[in-house]
C-alpha cells in the first residue's frame, strides 16, 4: 500500500467545494455530546480549508443505524458543537437522504470559508460501495475536491470513504487526506513498513482468533514480539503447560505452535508470560474485589484462572521496551478494568511512557487503557481507529487510504 498520499497541504481549496469525510461518531446521551474529542480532533483540517477559502462540506456517520434513520442518531448536535468550536456558523442539512435538493441548494449558496454539515451518511443505507454507486456519485456531484479525515472508517469501502473518490477523479478533481489521517498513516505506516529498530510489538487482549493476522504480520516485521493478556494462554497451552480455567482457544493451538516455530526460524524473539496473576474465576462485576496470587506460568493450578501477567513478566516486558526504538502496542495485558488486575497493563504503559522510543498505541481497548490509566500524553501516537489500526497492523490495504491520490 503506497503511503505517500496527497494531503490538505497539497491541494488548492480556494473557491472550491471540498467534501470532507470526518469522524464525528461521538457518544451521545439524551441528545447531548458526552465526549467532544473527535470534534476537536477534526478542527485543524477544517480550519485549514476554511482559511484557504474553500467551501467546506462535511459528512460523517454516527452510531450503528440498525433500523433505518432515526433522530437519535442525527448529526444535528455535532453541527451545533462544531459551530461553537469553530467560531462560525455550521449550517446543518437535516435531510435523511443526505444528498438531494436541500443539500444542492445549500451548497450552491455557499461563499468561500462557509461550512455545512450533511446528515448522518448511514441514514442513506447505501454506504457499502457495492450498493452505493448512486450515493457515491451524488456525494461527488456536490464537490470539486475530496478530503478523507476519518481514519476510523478507512478500513471500510463505503460510499463516503471510498466510493466517492472515483467520481471525483473522473471529473478531474483531487482526493487528499486530512491532518488526522496523515498522522495515522505516518506513525502506523512507518512503524510497520520502515521501523527504526529494534522494533518491539506488544499484543494482548482477549482472543488469539481476533489477532491471527496481526501476530503473523508483526512477527515478520518486528524484532521482538511480546504476547500477554488472555491470548497468551493459548500459546502457553500450546507449549504444553497446564493453564487451569484460563481463557483458551483450543482450535488455535496448532496456529500458536506454528507462530512459535516461525519466530525461531526467523530469529525473532517471541516473549510470553513467565508468571501470571490467578484467581478463582473472572471477577463479577468486572471491577469487583478479588483475591489473587501470582504463580509461575507453568504452575497454574487446575481450576484457577489467569487474569493478568505477573510481576516477573512485567519486568521482562518492560526490559524489552527499554532498549527498543519503535514500540507498537495493541491489547491490554490483563483484565485492566479491575484495579487489582490492571498492574500488568499499567507496568507496560509505564515502560512505554518512560522509553525514548517512538510509541504507538493501537485503538480500541489499548487506547482506552492508556487514557484511563493517565499515560496518554506520554505516547508518541494513539490511534483513533480500533478496527482500522488492527487492519493496518495486519498489513491489509485500507480502502480509504488506497483511494487517496498519491503525491
Ligand atoms: P481485545 O478487545 O481483544 O483487545 O480484548 C480486551 C479485553 O481483554 C479486555 O476487556 C480485558 O479485560 C480482556 N482480557 C485481558 N486479559 C485477559 C485475561 N487474562 N482473561 C480474560 N480476559 C482478558
Amino acid at each position: 500500500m503506497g503511503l505517500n498520499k496527497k494531503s490538505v497541504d497539497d491541494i488548492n481549496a480556494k473557491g472550491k467545494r471540498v467534501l470532507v469525510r470526518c469522524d464525528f461518531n461521538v457518544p451521545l446521551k439524551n441528545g447531548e455530546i458526552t465526549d467532544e474529542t473527535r470534534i476537536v480532533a477534526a478542527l485543524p483540517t477544517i480550519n485549514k480549508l476554511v482559511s484557504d477559502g474553500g467551501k467546506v462540506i462535511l459528512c460523517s456517520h454516527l452510531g450503528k443505524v440498525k433500523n433505518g434513520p432515526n433522530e437519535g442518531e442525527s448529526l444535528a448536535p455535532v453541527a451545533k458543537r462544531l459551530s461553537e468550536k469553530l467560531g462560525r456558523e455550521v449550517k446543518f442539512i437535516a435531510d435523511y437522504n443526505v444528498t438531494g435538493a436541500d443539500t444542492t441548494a445549500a451548497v450552491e449558496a455557499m461563499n468561500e470559508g462557509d461550512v455545512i454539515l450533511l446528515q448522518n451518511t448511514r441514514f442513506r443505507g447505501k454506504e457499502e460501495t457495492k450498493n452505493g454507486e448512486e450515493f457515491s456519485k451524488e456525494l461527488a456531484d456536490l464537490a470539486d475536491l475530496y478530503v478523507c479525515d476519518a481514519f476510523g472508517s478507512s478500513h471500510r469501502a463505503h460510499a463516503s470513504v471510498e466510493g466517492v473518490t472515483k467520481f471525483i477523479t473522473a471529473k478531474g478533481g483531487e482526493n487528499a487526506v486530512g491532518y488526522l489521517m496523515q498522522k495515522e498513516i505516518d506513525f502506523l505506516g512507518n512503524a510497520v513498513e520502515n521501523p527504526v529498530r529494534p522494533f518491539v510489538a506488544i499484543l494482548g487482549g482477549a482472543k488469539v482468533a481476533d489477532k491471527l493476522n496481526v501476530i503473523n504480520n508483526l512477527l515478520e516485521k518486528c524484532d521482538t514480539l511480546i504476547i500477554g493478556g488472555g491470548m497468551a494462554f493459548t500459546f502457553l497451552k500450546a507449549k504444553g503447560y497446564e493453564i487451569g480455567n484460563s481463557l483458551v482457544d483450543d482450535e488455535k493451538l496448532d496456529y500458536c505452535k506454528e507462530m512459535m516455530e516461525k519466530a525461531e526460524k526467523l530469529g525473532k524473539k517471541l516473549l510470553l508470560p513467565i508468571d501470571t496473576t490467578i484467581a478463582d474465576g473472572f471477577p463479577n462485576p468486572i471491577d469487583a474485589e478479588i483475591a489473587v496470587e501470582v504463580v509461575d506460568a507453568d504452575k497454574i493450578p487446575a481450576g484457577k484462572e489467569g487474569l493478568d501477567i505477573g510481576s516477573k513478566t512485567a519486568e521482562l516486558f518492560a526490559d524489552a521496551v527499554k532498549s527498543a526504538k519503535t514500540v507498537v502496542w495493541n491489547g491490554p495485558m490483563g483484565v485492566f478494568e479491575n484495579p487489582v488486575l490492571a498492574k500488568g497493563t499499567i507496568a507496560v504503559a509505564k515502560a512505554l511512557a518512560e522509553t525514548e522510543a517512538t510509541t504507538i498505541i493501537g485503538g480500541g481497548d489499548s487506547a482506552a487503557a492508556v487514557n484511563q490509566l493517565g499515560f496518554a500524553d506520554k505516547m508518541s501516537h494513539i490511534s483513533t481507529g480500533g478496527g482500522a489500526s488492527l487492519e493496518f497492523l495486519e498489513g491489509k490495504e485500507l480502502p480509504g487510504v488506497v483511494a487517496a491520490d498519491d503525491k
Side-chain angles (χ1 to χ4, degrees), residues 7-126:
S7 87
V8 275
D9 290 328
D10 304 313
I11 56 174
N12 183 2
K14 172 90 180 144
K16 299 271 173 59
R17 300 167 301 161
V18 193
L19 179 69
V20 188
R21 174 56 156 98
C22 297
D23 179 1
F24 290 142
N25 187 20
V26 293
L28 288 173
K29 202 169 178 192
N30 304 324
E32 290 293 320
I33 296 166
T34 55
D35 181 349
E36 63 179 23
T37 310
R38 288 183 165 159
I39 296 177
V40 173
L43 297 176
T45 296
I46 300 170
N47 276 325
K48 157 77 177 157
L49 293 167
V50 166
S51 69
D52 283 354
K55 300 173 183 175
V56 185
I57 307 156
L58 306 173
C59 66
S60 172
H61 80 283
L62 192 160
K64 298 230 185 309
V65 189
K66 286 208 177 94
N67 303 311
N70 72 81
E71 201 48 35
E73 279 164 327
S74 163
L75 279 170
V78 172
K80 188 163 166 272
R81 184 69 63 89
L82 185 60
S83 188
E84 290 160 15
K85 294 278 159 198
L86 283 172
R88 63 173 57 237
E89 190 199 356
V90 174
K91 189 174 163 68
F92 180 59
I93 318 296
D95 191 345
Y96 283 2
N97 196 54
V98 187
T99 53
D102 286 357
T103 305
T104 305
V107 171
E108 271 168 12
M110 287 177 94
N111 293 311
E112 291 183 8
D114 281 355
V115 182
I116 67 172
L117 174 63
L118 308 186
Q119 186 52 282
N120 187 342
T121 50
R122 302 262 163 98
F123 280 12
R124 182 63 183 260
K126 283 192 177 157

Side-chain angles (χ1 to χ4, degrees), residues 1 9 22 80 86 91 98 123 137 143 195 229 239 243 257 279 287 293 325 349 353-354 371 393 397 399:
M1 181 163 66
D9 290 328
C22 297
K80 188 163 166 272
L86 283 172
K91 189 174 163 68
V98 187
F123 280 12
K137 178 160 188 316
K239 280 178 76 157
I243 57 160
K257 280 184 201 152
D287 58 352
E293 58 180 313
K325 287 279 194 304
E354 285 167 1
N371 283 321
L393 299 179
E397 305 221 310

Side-chain angles (χ1 to χ4, degrees), residues 205-207 211 229-230 233 247 282 306-307 331-337 365:
K207 293 191 221 129
K211 295 186 183 158
F233 295 99
L247 206 62
F282 201 87
L307 296 168
M333 296 292 102
V335 183
F336 75 100
E337 297 91 337
D365 264 320

